[in-house]
Amino acid sequence: MNLLILGDVMGASGRSVLENKLPKIILENQIDFVIVNGENAADDGRGITQPIAEIFFSKGVDVITSGNHIWDKQETTNYIDKENRLLRPANLAEGSPGKGYEIYISKNKKYKIGVINLMGNVFMRKTDDVFQVAKNISKKLVLKKNIDFLVVDFH
């Protein structure tokens, strides 16, 4: 399986590169699954909006992960509850909108990929322990469904 993970897409310039280059990269490298950190993709570099996320998905992104800027755009709170391909950090406070992990199917329909989105505590507001949360979710994913790959995106 060919997996592509891209770090922070920053503002309009980062979005432009992704929009113009990603489809060709996916095709030329036979990429099966794409994960992008998009929490800084808004024009001001803080947050992500529904239109931006939908453009990413249309260009071949399978999952958008995030971190401490996920709530910087008000509209994201409602959108993240409806869109399971946009993940918030799993170790945020219980009851936070959206999901922190999910199981997805690769582009070629051959693989199940579990993706966990986590956020550290260094220079950030306090979150649940990333290692304990990763361990607990990993157990759930392995027991719950047969997955081929597990990706932990740590921000």
Side-chain angles (χ1 to χ4, degrees):
M1 184 173 101
N2 292 327
L3 176 68
L4 177 62
I5 303 174
L6 300 173
D8 287 13
V9 173
M10 185 72 176
S13 60
R15 291 194 322 266
S16 176
V17 171
L18 183 137
E19 291 170 27
N20 293 316
K21 305 272 185 188
L22 184 60
K24 185 177 178 183
I25 291 170
I26 291 170
L27 186 64
E28 289 179 348
N29 296 282
Q30 299 175 342
I31 303 296
D32 298 305
F33 199 77
V34 178
I35 300 171
V36 170
N37 183 285
E39 68 162 327
N40 295 310
D43 286 341
D44 63 358
R46 298 178 65 97
I48 188 167
T49 63
Q50 179 175 347
I52 291 170
E54 289 175 359
I55 290 170
F56 284 11
F57 296 138
S58 76
K59 297 299 179 178
V61 172
D62 295 294
V63 178
I64 301 171
T65 59
S66 63
N68 60 312
H69 291 293
I70 189 59
W71 310 125
D72 286 358
K73 300 295 179 236
Q74 180 74 29
E75 69 184 77
T76 305
T77 304
N78 294 326
Y79 180 60
I80 202 166
D81 270 335
K82 300 172 195 154
E83 180 53 72
N84 74 342
R85 297 173 294 173
L86 175 59
L87 295 178
R88 63 156 168 87
N91 57 330
L92 289 180
E94 187 70 32
S96 296
K99 296 179 180 180
Y101 65 94
E102 187 60 81
I103 296 174
Y104 305 94
I105 305 295
S106 64
K107 294 178 191 323
N108 62 11
K109 310 277 192 255
K110 289 183 180 179
Y111 306 105
K112 287 184 182 177
I113 302 107
V115 179
I116 304 171
N117 187 168
L118 296 166
M119 185 172 72
N121 287 323
V122 179
F123 305 116
M124 305 267 190
R125 70 182 101 141
K126 201 74 171 149
T127 57
D128 292 339
D129 179 85
V130 293
F131 301 105
Q132 190 60 51
V133 171
K135 184 177 177 180
N136 292 344
I137 294 172
S138 297
K139 284 180 185 176
K140 283 182 195 177
L141 291 177
V142 170
L143 291 173
K144 192 175 188 180
K145 297 189 181 184
N146 183 20
I147 58 173
D148 299 300
F149 298 93
L150 178 61
V151 178
V152 180
D153 183 299
F154 182 75
H155 180 78

